[in-house]
Amino acid sequence: MKKYLLIIGSLLLTLASFAQGFSEDDAVYPLVAENAAAQQQWVNTLYEHMSLEEKVGQLFIAQVFSNASQRDIDYVKSLVKNYHIGGIIFSKGGPVRQAKLTNRLQALAKVPLLMSQDAEWGLAMRLDSTYAFPWNMTLGAIEDNHLIERTGAQIAKHIKRMGMQMDYTPDVDININPQNPIIGNRSFGENKERVTQKGLAFIKGMQGEQVLTSAKHFPGHGDTDVDSHKELPVLNFTKERLEQIELYPYKALIPEGLSGVMVGHLNVPAYDSDKGRPASLSFPIITGILKEKLKFKGLIMTDALDMKGVTNADNPGQTGLDAFMAGNDLLLMPRDIPKNISALIQAYHKGSLTEERLEHSVKKILMAKYKVGLSDYKPVQLDHLVRDLNSEENELLSEELMEQAITLIKNNMGVVPIKDLEQQKIAYVHFGDAQGGDFYNMLTKYTRVDLVKGNNIADLLFKLKAYNLVIVGFHKSNAN
């Protein structure tokens, strides 16, 4: 009797344009609202009545944990009240605590705060009692891009329900280096076309719900073997290679109305001859390539400025100034916001930072705030918050995503689907560090399947001689 080995890998890793604007030199302005005249009036009026300190403050996004100590929360309150920061990036905590804190911080702000979170696969990336959708690697295995769009829309609904307006997602890095310690399953995959298609679908879903996105990590973090949280990765590639791989998603997404781009802490010698300078502080990369060559008109933001790949330990106030002068609009999480604000104000008084440069970014930020409804801000409603974030709709979508992500890689001799079950004597062998019990239990619902174990390979092979079909399940943790 002929024997077949069936191996099933359980990889549980998991625009109609947003722009209603206009074009100039083929550039899309994704921050323009439907009522552009009212938007412009709101932006201009606010800007004209701002002090220099208030204008500079708008550039900064401070991090806060909703489960932080009262001392830490009071510090962030002082940044809102005394330093007029433009927004908040929330980290770990709980949904009700975060919503309450959102309301308190917004009440202190003279200009409504841009509330944001890095929630690539849903709020559960940061918050307890919230929903986790499959990670991008799983979404990348799905052929139906409409499902990806629905996922982006559903996460955006959660973002809005929490009183936020921006999610620092999607990750559009091309995952072509298996030694990459930080991207991996955060990417849609290793194929640049598929990554771009999935990224566009996700963006359409999220921006269709009027939530700002941030494609990352420009110009591309996929082919690195260093974590930029810990040190500075170097992309030692030619300009031709960077154009073909790393920049590919951005060249496609920007004309579709991409609202934001996050610049990574990545050294790219082909684009910037200054040895050791990260892209996040590079004028040639941000202004020269992203703004001028790729004609990106949306929000440009740094990756977190407290990461070791960028921070200036000797002069923490200089990092924000360097990032802004390079072309960024939003400065995320610098280590000492008051010192960074002071450095920008000093540069303004010295003339190295012009009013024109400041106006360009501050008005862009205000345009984004109007676009996502902050001109008519309303506090977060706390009633039924956790229930709303954990609706049955999430489960139905997630189940459909997982089902559609199942991939048949090979089917030698047409083993799948398994036929003539009554003639099969089937063994199941378990590998991997997760139990895989659900998979085995499902197999037994169809026919008799024996769970076969062995002390070693020789012992296992001896026991399997009695079977004409062997199913091997390789199961890994679903934590990611």
Side-chain angles (χ1 to χ4, degrees):
M1 186 178 291
K2 192 169 286 186
K3 298 182 180 180
Y4 299 111
L5 177 66
L6 176 60
I7 300 179
I8 298 179
S10 177
L11 297 178
L12 297 180
L13 302 172
T14 183
L15 291 147
S17 175
F18 181 55
Q20 300 294 330
F22 48 92
S23 294
E24 179 182 281
D25 298 329
D26 298 322
V28 173
Y29 288 74
L31 305 179
V32 178
E34 289 186 25
N35 191 343
Q39 178 188 38
Q40 199 65 53
Q41 182 179 5
W42 187 80
V43 169
N44 289 341
T45 300
L46 275 179
Y47 190 83
E48 289 167 5
H49 289 86
M50 282 182 174
S51 65
L52 173 61
E53 290 74 16
E54 289 169 342
K55 293 174 185 176
V56 172
Q58 285 297 302
L59 309 174
F60 289 87
I61 305 291
Q63 183 186 43
V64 64
F65 293 65
S66 58
N67 61 2
S69 68
Q70 189 59 48
R71 178 182 176 182
D72 289 339
I73 290 175
D74 286 344
Y75 173 70
V76 174
K77 286 182 177 180
S78 74
L79 294 178
V80 174
K81 188 175 181 179
N82 301 324
Y83 291 91
H84 318 289
I85 59 172
I88 297 291
I89 175 172
F90 286 101
S91 192
K92 297 286 187 179
V96 175
R97 285 170 291 173
Q98 181 172 308
K100 289 179 177 179
L101 182 55
T102 294
N103 291 343
R104 291 199 296 270
L105 292 174
Q106 288 285 26
L108 293 172
K110 184 176 179 180
V111 176
L113 296 159
L114 184 66
M115 296 298 192
S116 60
Q117 198 148 41
D118 188 1
E120 295 173 13
W121 39 275
L123 295 179
M125 185 171 171
R126 304 295 176 188
L127 302 177
D128 61 39
S129 308
T130 55
Y131 200 80
F133 288 92
W135 286 41
N136 281 356
M137 182 176 281
T138 302
L139 299 182
I142 297 171
E143 294 298 327
D144 184 358
N145 289 332
H146 180 62
L147 281 175
I148 313 300
E149 185 175 341
R150 285 173 55 194
T151 305
Q154 189 67 6
I155 294 175
K157 290 175 184 176
H158 294 171
I159 291 287
K160 289 172 65 178
R161 182 65 181 88
M162 287 294 301
M164 295 186 287
Q165 299 81 35
M166 173 176 273
D167 191 347
Y168 300 103
T169 190
D171 189 317
V172 295
D173 296 313
I174 315 299
N175 185 40
I176 55 179
N177 188 337
Q179 302 303 316
N180 197 314
I182 191 61
I183 302 304
N185 48 19
R186 298 169 64 193
S187 165
F188 290 110
E190 74 282 1
N191 180 285
K192 64 182 183 181
E193 288 87 2
R194 287 184 68 88
V195 168
T196 302
Q197 292 167 8
K198 308 307 174 188
L200 176 59
F202 197 95
I203 288 164
K204 286 175 66 177
M206 186 159 280
Q207 295 186 174
E209 294 293 329
Q210 299 296 294
V211 168
L212 300 168
T213 61
S214 176
K216 60 188 181 185
H217 306 80
F218 186 85
H221 206 330
D223 195 358
T224 64
D225 56 9
V226 169
D227 181 355
S228 55
H229 291 83
K230 300 175 181 178
E231 53 186 305
L232 182 64
V234 180
L235 276 64
N236 274 317
F237 307 126
T238 64
K239 290 182 180 180
E240 291 74 20
R241 148 62 199 260
L242 292 164
E243 285 272 343
Q244 292 173 5
I245 303 295
E246 278 73 17
L247 295 187
Y248 185 90
Y250 298 95
K251 290 191 289 186
L253 297 175
I254 288 171
E256 294 290 341
L258 174 64
S259 61
V261 168
M262 177 181 286
V263 185
H265 306 317
L266 308 159
N267 180 239
V268 192
Y271 286 153
D272 191 333
S273 59
D274 191 318
K275 184 177 180 181
R277 181 158 58 192
S280 51
L281 306 183
S282 170
F283 184 90
I285 292 175
I286 299 173
T287 298
I289 296 175
L290 182 56
K291 298 176 75 169
E292 295 178 356
K293 184 174 182 178
L294 300 184
K295 301 184 184 300
F296 181 60
K297 303 296 182 181
L299 286 175
I300 302 173
M301 63 215 72
T302 67
D303 203 345
L305 289 174
D306 62 351
M307 292 162 60
K308 291 184 179 179
V310 66
T311 188
N312 185 333
D314 296 328
N315 187 0
Q318 186 67 30
T319 305
L321 177 60
D322 290 344
F324 184 69
M325 297 306 292
N328 291 288
D329 304 305
L330 291 172
L331 311 176
L332 266 62
M333 300 163 50
R335 288 192 173 181
D336 191 325
I337 286 181
K339 283 186 178 180
N340 278 272
I341 289 177
S342 177
L344 266 75
I345 291 174
Q346 289 180 33
Y348 183 92
H349 288 311
K350 291 178 181 178
S352 55
L353 168 56
T354 66
E355 176 66 28
E356 181 183 19
R357 172 68 188 93
L358 187 61
E359 181 180 10
H360 171 78
S361 286
V362 175
K363 284 192 172 181
K364 196 193 292 187
I365 293 165
L366 295 177
M367 286 178 69
K369 290 185 175 185
Y370 186 97
K371 176 76 176 180
V372 294
L374 284 173
S375 62
D376 186 29
Y377 166 75
K378 295 179 177 60
V380 183
Q381 294 300 312
L382 302 179
D383 292 344
H384 311 300
L385 178 61
V386 174
R387 184 193 69 184
D388 293 346
L389 296 173
N390 291 278
S391 66
E392 188 176 354
E393 186 179 0
N394 299 330
E395 292 288 346
L396 294 173
L397 175 58
S398 188
E399 185 171 337
E400 191 171 0
L401 291 170
M402 297 307 296
E403 181 178 337
Q404 294 300 317
I406 296 171
T407 302
L408 182 61
I409 298 174
K410 282 185 180 181
N411 195 18
N412 293 350
M413 305 183 74
V415 178
V416 179
I418 301 171
K419 301 174 183 177
D420 302 322
L421 293 178
E422 67 279 359
Q423 299 178 24
Q424 306 283 359
K425 188 173 183 184
I426 305 175
Y428 172 71
V429 178
H430 169 266
F431 287 128
D433 54 15
Q435 291 184 354
D438 290 338
F439 179 68
Y440 173 64
N441 291 337
M442 183 60 74
L443 293 178
T444 62
K445 292 182 184 296
Y446 292 89
T447 188
R448 176 176 173 176
V449 178
D450 297 333
L451 176 60
V452 178
K453 300 179 180 180
N455 295 323
N456 51 55
I457 292 297
D459 183 30
L460 190 59
L461 291 175
F462 177 79
K463 292 179 179 179
L464 292 176
K465 286 182 178 180
Y467 298 89
N468 63 350
L469 181 68
V470 178
I471 298 174
V472 175
F474 182 74
H475 299 274
K476 299 294 290 179
S477 167
N478 193 35
N480 289 344

